[in-house]
Amino acid sequence: MIDERKNSLKYNAAWILSVLLSITIITSANYSTGHKIQQSLTVLQETAPGIAFNGVIILADTIPPLKDSIIIKDSLTVKTGVANAVSDTVPLLKDSAAIKDSLSMQTDTVNLNLSKDSIDAPIVYQAADSVLFIVPEKKIILFSEANIKQSDMELSADNIEIDQSTDLVTAAYRRDSTGKMIGRPKMVQAETTMESDEIVYNTKTQKGITRQTVTQQGEIFVQGEKVKKISPSEFFAFRGQFTTCNLDTPHFAFRTKKMKLINQKLAVSGPIHPEFEGVPVPIYLPFGLFPISQGRKSGFLPPQVATNEQFGLGLQGLGYYKVLGDNFDVLLRGDVYSYGGWAAYFEPTYRKRYRYNGRMLFTLQHTRMISSDPKVDFTNSRTFNINWSHTVDAKARPGQSFSANVNAGSTKFNQYVLNNPMRNYNNSLNSSVTYSKTWDGKYNLSLSANHSQNNNLGLVSLTLPNLAFTANTLYPLQKKDFAGTPKWYQKLGIGLNSQVSNRIDFYDSLFSFRNIVDTLQWGAQHSIPIQLSLPSLGPLQVSPGINYQEKWYSRQFIRTYNPVTEKVDTSINKGFFTARDISFSLGLSTALFGKLDKFGKNSRVQAIRHTVRPSVSLSYKPDLARKDYDSLMLKNGYMTRVSRYEGSIFGAFSEGTYGGLSFGIDNNLEMKVKSKKDTGDAAIKKVRLLDGFGFNSGYNFIADSFKLAPFNLYVRSTLFEKVNITAGATLDPYQVDSLGFKRNKYAWQGGAFTPGRITSGNIAISTSFKSKPKDDKKDAATSNDALNDVTTPMTMEEQMSQLEYVRNNPAEFADFNIPWSVNLSYSLSFFRQFKRDYSGFETTVNSNLSVNGDFNLTPKWKMGLNTYYDFKSSSIQMLTMFISREMHCWQLSINVTPVGYYRSFNITVNPKSGILRDLRINRTRSFFGN
């Protein structure tokens, strides 16, 4: 018995050592049980066939056993071409040959014949508790937080069993004393991740069977009672279900008895039916086809049913999306209404990575709606709109750039767009196409075409081409190979700015080639600034300069008063005309600082800092434009001066000789406040009280009247880092008569003191408030997603389209993590201008208030509104409201527009997942008029 036991022990030890020498064993001697290698080997020597440790092993059953066990007295080193491992010293066995020196073996030089059933890749394993070797059965069992890796496969579970004889790996979970599942098996291979109650996997064939499995393919979760894996990318499932709900018991799913899944490509099932909250819906389909591949795919787009009293019953959004290549695709959509109206949309998109990308949207709209005129049954109108956006990567052609942002169409197009109150009130369209080139940072050429359109007046203006050339400041007195500090005269700089434009103005109702030719006018302007940077005179900075300007015109406008019609008649002279202007200036500027820090010890205010930046400029301008002005006698006998070039592309030079002083003062206020919570350097916080406030004006010593120029006042601030305020005003220091014309008499002369009259002004105030997020981690994740979206290249049209969709469907984008939020914006502007008959002045005032916000009625219900109030008309111009219901993987959204050009309401219930966005229940109705 003793001899048999010794022989058995010799065989087992030899088998283990042969395994160690044939592959690689890398051990850290780092065990949760606290045992050492030599203790485990001692147990193995005596009776036990198992060893507990962590490591890496390649199994092979073809290494012949040694005839006797090898006793390692000193440290054993086993080397491969990849890793080295050193085990602890092993005590001597009594019946073994002694090896006094250390043993070193090179496994990469041993020529071994491996059997066909050997595995082709190493298995890397680890466990938090222990690893048990069952040598006679050739099994390894990993306990607690077990993990193995082989090639691109990774398996983790509470316990994993590796059977070398069958090449099977079995993973399972366990339950704790409370019945909670611990260590549910999870397998990751290639792009597939699956979790199961049990996983049986063949390391050689890469096949396996799992039970109660869940795997995610994009946004879809696929569950199966039993799943068979036949390749790294193909699966068969028995009693499976598809869903986008990530719960173990999903709120909804599509159930089938059998299905096949091809990873990241396609899922096909047999007869299938939906269920909600575990209740089957009696809607059965003979088969199911779920495209789960990522990227662009061609296909049909389902329509949405809409109802409108003026347009009738309609289908909106019916179309087809076609991928024409890696760089090009086309979207065709259409709307059809029962009263005969329709709309067609053609939207191609193109892109070439690192070069350019763009999108175009051409819309043709045939409107047929019930007329508000009782004598006419229907109102018919055909309108169109074209949008084009194009951007070029800055790295594609350094020094050159091209961009396009086109938005043009019929003046009534926006009026007939349904369910879009923001667009219904957009009365202006603008376009720009620009190409620019830079040479060595010294010269810049820009070629552009611009378009502007006033939908209220029907007036269209085209500026094309528009050519601009700029030469940056050159220093002719400075040597080419200059080094060191330049002399003062070497800082003399000369620049050039030239621009040539061609403009066409016409009304869309009078569009014709003849009208285009009649309204065509061109012009040019040139500017040559000459500057000299002199050395500082102490705290003063002196900057002399000369500026020469010249303008070219193709038309003169001669205005005369007609006493019969009591209006001003305008005649046009065509030809080539020029005007010139020159000015000389000498500027002085400095900065003054003041500080107030006399506050009490217990005061939170530490100091207030005031910065004053005064500037004074002496300038002279001769009257070169006097010849271009005419005297105009108005209705009440008043005489005024008008320029022949007023209304031209680049406008007219001002009349009169100027020799005077321009002055201004800019200020800002800052405060240092001590925090209540922080200490040290972080305790002092700088707060901006006023970002800037001041004025500027001028005094003309040469003028015979009205020597003091109007004062321009301004202020801007961000109060408490929350409220943005921007305001400005123009103060006229002269008195006026009963018709509003200025008199050469200061406002403070001849009566009570008054600084003057405010002739124009504006103020804009905006702020936003919101509560703290319920979950800071979720809020941070949302911010990161938003940042990633921002960094993704998008055309301007794509950005505007997304913003427009968010505005029209706010309920779909409700953030329940923010309990409430409010955004306020107010603006006021007024100005005085000539009446249309030049008989006097009139003041125009515009004022409006914009409010939008939302709040949580309950943790799952949110309500919000967006409104625009116009004080001039004393009416609400637009009001939209929404209610949203959070339903985990589904959402309910209700959007109502009770006030607007079109009144509408929309109720939608749909899954949140983008892949099932067309699976929705929708009810939309809209009404025309107020």
Side-chain angles (χ1 to χ4, degrees):
M1 289 292 293
I2 296 177
D3 294 337
E4 292 179 0
R5 182 177 179 180
K6 289 182 179 181
N7 292 334
S8 175
L9 184 59
K10 291 178 181 179
Y11 177 83
N12 292 338
W15 185 86
I16 295 175
L17 184 58
S18 65
V19 171
L20 296 176
L21 297 179
S22 63
I23 43 92
T24 301
I25 184 165
I26 301 173
T27 178
S28 61
N30 197 8
Y31 309 103
S32 59
T33 56
H35 296 294
K36 296 182 178 180
I37 289 181
Q38 63 268 29
Q39 294 173 331
S40 299
L41 291 177
T42 302
V43 174
L44 173 64
Q45 172 193 355
E46 294 178 354
T47 54
I51 302 176
F53 61 96
N54 297 338
V56 181
I57 188 167
I58 302 177
L59 300 180
D61 58 354
T62 59
I63 307 299
L66 301 181
K67 298 180 179 180
D68 201 353
S69 57
I70 300 176
I71 309 304
I72 303 174
K73 179 178 180 180
D74 298 328
S75 60
L76 171 64
T77 302
V78 183
K79 297 183 179 180
T80 67
V82 179
N84 299 335
V86 181
S87 65
D88 293 339
T89 303
V90 182
L92 292 174
L93 301 180
K94 295 180 181 180
D95 60 347
S96 302
I99 301 178
K100 296 182 179 181
D101 298 329
S102 60
L103 174 63
S104 177
M105 297 188 66
Q106 298 283 346
T107 62
D108 56 357
T109 61
V110 179
N111 186 14
L112 300 175
N113 295 323
L114 302 180
S115 64
K116 296 181 180 180
D117 58 350
S118 300
I119 59 176
D120 57 357
I123 299 177
V124 182
Y125 64 89
Q126 64 180 13
D129 183 76
S130 60
V131 179
L132 178 64
F133 272 44
I134 305 179
V135 177
E137 300 179 13
K138 298 183 181 181
K139 291 182 179 180
I140 303 175
I141 303 178
L142 292 74
F143 294 98
S144 183
E145 300 181 13
N147 179 272
I148 66 171
K149 296 179 181 178
Q150 184 189 25
S151 298
D152 63 341
M153 185 276 296
E154 180 177 0
L155 177 63
S156 59
D158 179 73
N159 60 85
I160 300 177
E161 177 183 307
I162 305 173
D163 191 337
Q164 188 202 4
S165 60
T166 59
D167 296 323
L168 292 181
V169 176
T170 304
Y173 68 91
R174 66 181 174 88
R175 296 186 182 275
D176 59 10
S177 57
T178 63
K180 181 180 178 181
M181 182 183 295
I182 298 177
R184 192 183 189 201
K186 179 180 179 180
M187 174 183 284
V188 179
Q189 186 173 28
E191 298 179 356
T192 303
T193 300
M194 61 172 58
E195 293 186 8
S196 310
D197 289 354
E198 182 184 25
I199 296 178
V200 180
Y201 177 74
N202 190 298
T203 59
K204 185 176 181 179
T205 63
Q206 303 290 304
K207 298 180 180 180
I209 295 179
T210 65
R211 288 178 173 79
Q212 302 300 330
T213 302
V214 178
T215 182
Q216 184 176 359
Q217 301 289 324
E219 294 182 283
I220 291 184
F221 293 90
V222 181
Q223 300 183 17
E225 183 177 314
K226 182 183 293 186
V227 176
K228 182 178 181 180
K229 181 174 179 292
I230 62 173
S231 72
S233 61
E234 293 182 284
F235 305 85
F236 287 95
F238 175 70
R239 291 181 180 175
Q241 61 180 12
F242 298 90
T243 182
T244 58
C245 182
N246 60 358
L247 297 180
D248 293 337
T249 304
H251 291 115
F252 78 101
F254 294 90
R255 284 197 172 273
T256 182
K257 188 175 181 180
K258 55 183 178 180
M259 62 180 170
K260 180 180 180 180
L261 178 68
I262 302 176
N263 183 40
Q264 303 298 329
K265 289 186 178 181
L266 183 69
V268 183
S269 72
I272 192 170
H273 69 277
E275 68 174 23
F276 292 89
E277 296 291 349
V279 179
V281 177
I283 300 177
Y284 288 85
L285 299 175
F287 63 91
L289 188 63
F290 296 84
I292 55 178
S293 59
Q294 304 298 315
R296 303 172 301 143
K297 296 294 180 182
S298 302
F300 287 96
L301 302 176
Q304 177 178 315
V305 180
T307 305
N308 184 278
E309 289 187 347
Q310 280 69 37
F311 290 79
L313 182 66
L315 295 177
Q316 298 177 343
L318 177 65
Y320 185 79
Y321 175 73
K322 177 64 176 178
V323 178
L324 299 177
D326 295 337
N327 304 323
F328 194 76
D329 53 56
V330 175
L331 175 62
L332 298 172
R333 292 183 295 119
D335 303 335
V336 182
Y337 301 96
S338 59
Y339 291 165
W342 54 267
Y345 307 88
F346 174 72
E347 186 175 358
T349 304
Y350 56 92
R351 67 195 65 80
K352 191 170 185 179
R353 182 172 294 182
Y354 309 124
R355 296 296 300 275
Y356 55 81
N357 64 82
R359 168 176 293 185
M360 179 180 291
L361 173 60
F362 178 75
T363 305
L364 185 61
Q365 190 172 248
H366 174 71
T367 303
R368 181 177 172 84
M369 56 184 293
I370 296 178
S371 175
S372 57
D373 186 356
K375 298 181 181 180
V376 181
D377 293 335
F378 293 95
T379 298
N380 296 284
S381 176
R382 286 201 175 188
T383 56
F384 74 95
N385 184 263
I386 182 170
N387 288 271
W388 177 42
S389 294
H390 180 91
T391 57
V392 176
D393 195 305
K395 299 178 181 179
R397 291 188 175 181
Q400 300 184 46
S401 66
F402 177 80
S403 63
N405 188 11
V406 177
N407 183 15
S410 305
T411 55
K412 293 185 178 181
F413 179 85
N414 287 345
Q415 297 181 14
Y416 298 125
V417 177
L418 289 176
N419 306 324
N420 195 333
M422 300 296 295
R423 192 163 187 176
N424 296 149
Y425 287 97
N426 184 8
N427 295 316
S428 63
L429 301 176
N430 298 279
S431 305
S432 176
V433 180
T434 305
Y435 169 81
S436 64
K437 181 176 177 59
T438 302
W439 290 272
D440 299 328
K442 297 181 180 180
Y443 309 99
N444 181 70
L445 176 66
S446 176
L447 184 65
S448 63
N450 301 304
H451 152 267
S452 63
Q453 185 173 327
N454 188 317
N455 291 340
N456 284 336
L457 302 177
L459 180 62
V460 180
S461 297
L462 300 177
T463 305
L464 73 163
N466 186 15
L467 177 66
F469 177 79
T470 302
N472 295 334
T473 304
L474 304 176
Y475 299 93
L477 301 181
Q478 194 174 102
K479 296 181 180 179
K480 184 176 181 181
D481 299 328
F482 174 78
T485 303
K487 299 183 181 300
W488 67 270
Y489 60 85
Q490 293 178 331
K491 296 182 179 180
L492 179 67
I494 302 176
L496 173 65
N497 298 304
S498 296
Q499 186 175 358
V500 181
S501 292
N502 185 76
R503 191 175 72 188
I504 302 171
D505 299 311
F506 60 91
Y507 289 93
D508 62 342
S509 57
L510 302 176
F511 176 78
S512 67
F513 182 77
R514 180 178 180 181
N515 289 337
I516 291 178
V517 174
D518 289 341
T519 61
L520 185 148
Q521 63 170 315
W522 65 270
Q525 66 174 0
H526 311 279
S527 174
I528 302 177
I530 303 175
Q531 299 175 345
L532 178 62
S533 299
L534 296 177
S536 299
L537 300 177
L540 296 177
Q541 181 68 42
V542 183
S543 302
I546 302 174
N547 188 26
Y548 174 79
Q549 297 183 70
E550 182 170 331
K551 295 183 180 181
W552 300 344
Y553 305 96
S554 62
R555 293 186 176 191
Q556 285 185 340
F557 299 89
I558 309 301
R559 295 176 175 86
T560 56
Y561 181 74
N562 189 335
V564 178
T565 60
E566 295 185 346
K567 293 182 179 180
V568 177
D569 295 334
T570 303
S571 60
I572 299 176
N573 294 332
K574 296 183 179 180
F576 177 74
F577 310 95
T578 62
R580 298 169 182 84
D581 188 58
I582 189 171
S583 62
F584 306 87
S585 64
L586 177 65
L588 301 174
S589 62
T590 187
L592 305 174
F593 302 93
K595 184 178 181 182
L596 177 63
D597 56 1
K598 303 298 183 181
F599 296 96
K601 295 182 180 180
N602 298 325
S603 176
R604 291 187 58 200
V605 179
Q606 299 295 298
I608 295 178
R609 182 181 180 181
H610 181 199
T611 304
V612 183
R613 294 183 176 86
S615 62
V616 179
S617 176
L618 297 172
S619 59
Y620 171 76
K621 182 184 78 67
D623 188 8
L624 302 181
R626 183 177 181 82
K627 62 181 179 61
D628 301 323
Y629 278 76
D630 298 321
S631 298
L632 180 64
M633 183 70 70
L634 300 181
K635 176 180 180 180
N636 298 304
Y638 286 92
M639 185 73 68
T640 186
R641 300 277 290 174
V642 294
S643 174
R644 299 175 184 177
Y645 304 120
E646 183 178 344
S648 61
I649 295 178
F650 295 109
F653 290 116
S654 60
E655 184 187 22
T657 302
Y658 183 87
L661 182 71
S662 300
F663 54 89
I665 298 178
D666 182 56
N667 305 261
N668 76 325
L669 284 177
E670 295 178 334
M671 180 173 62
K672 288 186 177 181
V673 182
K674 182 168 57 176
S675 176
K676 293 181 179 180
K677 301 179 180 179
D678 297 332
T679 59
D681 295 338
I684 305 301
K685 182 180 180 181
K686 185 183 292 186
V687 178
R688 294 178 298 175
L689 299 178
L690 291 174
D691 297 331
F693 67 97
F695 68 91
N696 57 74
S697 181
Y699 191 86
N700 190 354
F701 295 100
I702 300 178
D704 56 356
S705 60
F706 305 111
K707 294 185 176 182
L708 183 62
F711 287 80
N712 295 314
L713 313 175
Y714 63 89
V715 61
R716 58 185 184 276
S717 176
T718 305
L719 294 178
F720 314 111
E721 306 293 334
K722 281 291 185 181
V723 183
N724 299 314
I725 302 176
T726 302
T730 300
L731 177 67
D732 193 332
Y734 293 97
Q735 297 180 10
V736 296
D737 58 15
S738 59
L739 295 178
F741 291 92
K742 290 197 300 183
R743 299 171 56 190
N744 190 24
K745 188 175 183 180
Y746 292 117
W748 51 83
Q749 293 178 339
F753 176 80
T754 174
R757 301 172 298 107
I758 301 294
T759 58
S760 64
N762 64 83
I763 183 172
I765 304 174
S766 63
T767 184
S768 61
F769 302 94
K770 67 177 182 179
S771 62
K772 293 183 178 180
K774 296 179 180 179
D775 187 348
D776 293 332
K777 294 182 179 180
K778 184 177 180 181
D779 185 64
T782 303
S783 301
N784 292 334
D785 292 342
L787 180 62
N788 292 334
D789 291 340
V790 170
T791 56
T792 302
M794 292 179 60
T795 64
M796 181 61 68
E797 179 59 30
E798 289 175 317
Q799 297 177 28
M800 296 303 297
S801 177
Q802 290 189 6
L803 181 60
E804 184 177 286
Y805 185 83
V806 173
R807 286 175 174 173
N808 297 330
N809 303 273
E812 295 186 19
F813 301 90
D815 186 0
F816 288 87
N817 194 42
I818 306 296
W820 61 268
S821 65
V822 178
N823 299 310
L824 303 174
S825 176
Y826 173 77
S827 66
L828 169 68
S829 65
F830 65 93
F831 57 92
R832 288 174 58 80
Q833 62 181 2
F834 268 119
K835 294 181 180 179
R836 303 193 68 176
D837 59 358
Y838 288 84
S839 61
F841 292 85
E842 60 183 359
T843 301
T844 302
V845 181
N846 296 306
S847 180
N848 61 77
L849 174 67
S850 177
V851 180
N852 68 78
D854 56 65
F855 62 94
N856 290 355
L857 295 171
T858 68
K860 298 295 184 181
W861 284 95
K862 180 178 280 289
M863 181 178 182
L865 63 85
N866 182 10
T867 184
Y868 178 86
Y869 183 83
D870 183 24
F871 289 93
K872 186 175 182 179
S873 60
S874 300
S875 62
I876 297 176
Q877 297 295 313
M878 185 268 296
L879 173 64
T880 62
M881 299 183 295
F882 76 87
I883 298 177
S884 182
R885 174 67 164 89
E886 163 66 25
M887 298 189 296
H888 188 254
C889 51
W890 283 66
Q891 65 181 5
L892 166 69
S893 58
I894 303 175
N895 298 286
V896 182
T897 304
V899 179
Y901 195 79
Y902 286 99
R903 294 167 293 144
S904 64
F905 73 86
N906 174 278
I907 302 176
T908 303
V909 181
N910 63 286
K912 290 182 179 179
S913 171
I915 198 170
L916 298 178
R917 61 182 178 271
D918 297 323
L919 182 65
R920 62 171 62 191
I921 302 174
N922 176 268
R923 172 65 169 169
T924 301
R925 295 198 67 181
S926 57
F927 312 89
F928 178 76
N930 296 321

